[in-house]
Amino acid sequence: KNQVEQSPQSLIILEGKNCTLQCNYTVSPFSNLRWYKQDTGRGPVSLTIMTFSENTKSNGRYTATLDADTKQSSLHITASQLSDSASYICVVSPRQAGTALIFGKGTTLSVSS
Amino acid sequence: NAGVTQTPKFQVLKTGQSMTLQCAQDMNHNSMYWYRQDPGMGLRLIYYSASEGTTDKGEVPNGYNVSRLNKREFSLRLESAAPSQTSVYFCASSAGETYGYTFGSGTRLTVV
């Protein structure tokens, strides 16, 4: 069964610190892996999209990595800010045409001052 | 601002009532989607429309119908609301399967 598992479920860090969120998936084959940020009460916003052949993709202080061999991805946030407090969702797109995206349950990040 | 607009933002229904959730995008995207988000679960696809004039069922279509009115608009209808349909509903659009999705801000629906 195609699944996307994220860890940790929640995380609290101090402002200015770095953190790394994990995503393990069983989807195979897949065409791309995405990371979204969802603020409370808002819709998800795309951070990065990586194809199966890419290893890393950056968007400002956000850097996503992908290891297709181990079926793992991570999202690294550098120098965290209060505005980074949100849910971060890992999404995998199966390669089979017409197959829906598979969403992880998300990691809730709280950045405190 | 360009994006996906959903209405209403909040709605309370009684069991058995019907309603339509509206969604419009102004990015000229071909594909549009309806998702529901429940606590402790990932977003689940209800219906999608790969292009104007086509609609297909997603993972959880029971109890819902959709209409792709034109390229901009994609509505979701609940004919007879049930408490199990209490959820946050998101509409999204994209230029295609390999492109990122743009999500609306959501409709929080409560069925009592």
Side-chain angles (χ1 to χ4, degrees):
Chain A
K1 180 180 179 182
N2 287 333
Q3 288 185 313
V4 175
E5 301 287 344
Q6 292 187 243
S7 62
Q9 188 173 17
S10 62
L11 181 63
I12 302 173
I13 62 173
L14 289 175
E15 186 179 14
K17 298 296 186 181
N18 303 335
C19 68
T20 299
L21 313 180
Q22 300 292 340
C23 174
N24 295 336
Y25 59 93
T26 60
V27 183
S28 183
F30 74 99
S31 62
N32 59 70
L33 185 145
R34 314 164 186 218
W35 283 94
Y36 284 86
K37 177 187 179 188
Q38 185 175 21
D39 293 315
T40 301
R42 308 289 294 176
V45 174
S46 180
L47 293 176
T48 62
I49 299 177
M50 291 181 290
T51 67
F52 63 89
S53 61
E54 293 180 291
N55 298 121
T56 185
K57 183 70 69 76
S58 291
N59 179 358
R61 295 181 296 102
Y62 301 101
T63 299
T65 64
L66 174 62
D67 186 333
D69 291 332
T70 62
K71 295 184 171 59
Q72 295 180 326
S73 176
S74 64
L75 181 69
H76 185 75
I77 304 174
T78 303
S80 61
Q81 301 175 359
L82 296 178
S83 59
D84 292 331
S85 295
S87 177
Y88 292 85
I89 304 172
C90 176
V91 185
V92 179
S93 176
R95 192 178 298 173
Q96 182 179 358
T99 305
L101 299 181
I102 301 173
F103 286 76
K105 296 178 182 180
T107 292
T108 301
L109 174 66
S110 298
V111 180
S112 61
S113 57
Chain B
N1 292 334
V4 177
T5 302
Q6 289 184 238
T7 56
K9 294 188 182 300
F10 300 93
Q11 184 72 48
V12 178
L13 290 179
K14 294 182 179 179
T15 298
Q17 287 185 319
S18 63
M19 78 161 296
T20 299
L21 281 64
Q22 305 288 351
C23 175
Q25 53 94 4
D26 57 5
M27 296 169 286
N28 202 36
H29 285 167
N30 288 320
S31 302
M32 297 187 73
Y33 312 83
W34 276 105
Y35 286 88
R36 61 178 289 173
Q37 186 174 38
D38 300 296
M41 302 184 73
L43 275 79
R44 292 181 294 169
L45 182 64
I46 304 171
Y47 270 94
Y48 68 100
S49 171
S51 61
E52 184 179 355
T54 68
T55 60
D56 286 287
K57 295 179 180 179
E59 182 183 358
V60 288
N62 292 344
Y64 305 95
N65 284 301
V66 291
S67 296
R68 183 75 182 265
L69 305 171
N70 47 55
K71 192 169 186 178
R72 290 188 64 247
E73 298 172 287
F74 188 38
S75 62
L76 178 71
R77 182 161 179 83
L78 287 71
E79 291 291 351
S80 179
S84 61
Q85 293 178 306
T86 293
S87 187
V88 181
Y89 291 86
F90 288 100
C91 177
S93 71
S94 76
E97 285 190 357
T98 59
Y99 295 88
Y101 285 21
T102 301
F103 284 85
S105 57
T107 295
R108 185 173 295 275
L109 175 67
T110 302
V111 183
V112 297

